[in-house]
Amino acid sequence: MTYDPGNIFAKILKGEIPCHKVYEDADTIAFMDVMPQAPGHTLVVPKAASRNLLDASPDALAKLLPVVQRIARAVKAAFQADGVTVSQFNEPAGGQTVFHLHVHVIPRHDGVGLKPHSGGMEKPEVLAAGAERIRAALAAA
Ligand code: 5GP
C-alpha cells in the first residue's frame, strides 16, 4: 500500500481544511479529533508522509514520541484525568481509517468507558474549548 497525498490529514497539514490545533513544531502537529472517544481526544500527527507505523522512517518516529508524551501530560492536566490512553492503528485490518500516521491521545477517568471509534461528530465549540484548555496546559508545563 502506498501513501495517498489526498488523505484528510495531509489536507489539514497543508492548511486546506481547518482543525482545532493544540500544538505545532517543525515536524509535528496535534489537533482535536472531530469524533472524540472522550472529551479531550487529541491526534498527534508527524508532518512527514507515511501511511502508518509500518512505513514511517525511524527519524520521524523518534521525533513523534516526545511530542506524544507532552500532549499526554497536557491532556491529563487539562481534563483532570486519572489516566491517558495512547493508541495507534495500522491498515484497515488494524482499525485504521485515515491513512497518514497519527497517534490518539485520550484522557481517561476511572470507571468511564470510551465512546466508539469514529462515532459521532462533536460540536465545533466543544472542540474549540477543549483545544484552548490543552493549549493552556501546554503553556503552563
Ligand atoms: P484511525 O482510525 O485512522 O486511527 O483514526 C482516525 C481518526 O481521525 C478518527 O478518530 C476520526 O474520528 C478522526 N477524523 C476523521 N476525519 C477527521 C477530520 O476531518 N478532522 C479531524 N480532526 N479528525 C478526523
Side-chain angles (χ1 to χ4, degrees), residues 8-9 12 17-20 31-37 41 43 88-89 95-100 102 104 117-119:
I8 197 87
F9 292 170
I12 289 174
I17 65 166
C19 69
H20 296 279
F31 51 83
M32 307 309 289
D33 193 306
V34 290
M35 292 175 269
Q37 291 186 257
H41 183 165
L43 300 169
Q88 189 277 318
F89 306 132
Q96 187 177 10
T97 59
V98 177
F99 298 96
H100 180 113
H102 54 279
H104 299 258
H117 180 228
S118 297

Side-chain angles (χ1 to χ4, degrees), residues 29-111:
I29 188 169
F31 51 83
M32 307 309 289
D33 193 306
V34 290
M35 292 175 269
Q37 291 186 257
H41 183 165
T42 302
L43 300 169
V44 185
V45 181
K47 293 182 179 179
S50 73
R51 275 176 70 83
N52 52 46
L53 181 77
L54 302 172
D55 61 333
S57 73
D59 179 57
L61 295 176
K63 288 171 174 156
L64 182 60
L65 201 56
V67 180
V68 171
Q69 183 191 46
R70 283 178 72 177
I71 300 300
R73 288 173 170 166
V75 301
K76 184 172 182 291
F79 286 83
Q80 287 142 8
D82 302 306
V84 182
T85 292
V86 173
S87 58
Q88 189 277 318
F89 306 132
N90 299 281
E91 299 300 333
Q96 187 177 10
T97 59
V98 177
F99 298 96
H100 180 113
L101 175 60
H102 54 279
V103 176
H104 299 258
V105 179
I106 310 174
R108 303 298 303 273
H109 293 86
D110 288 334

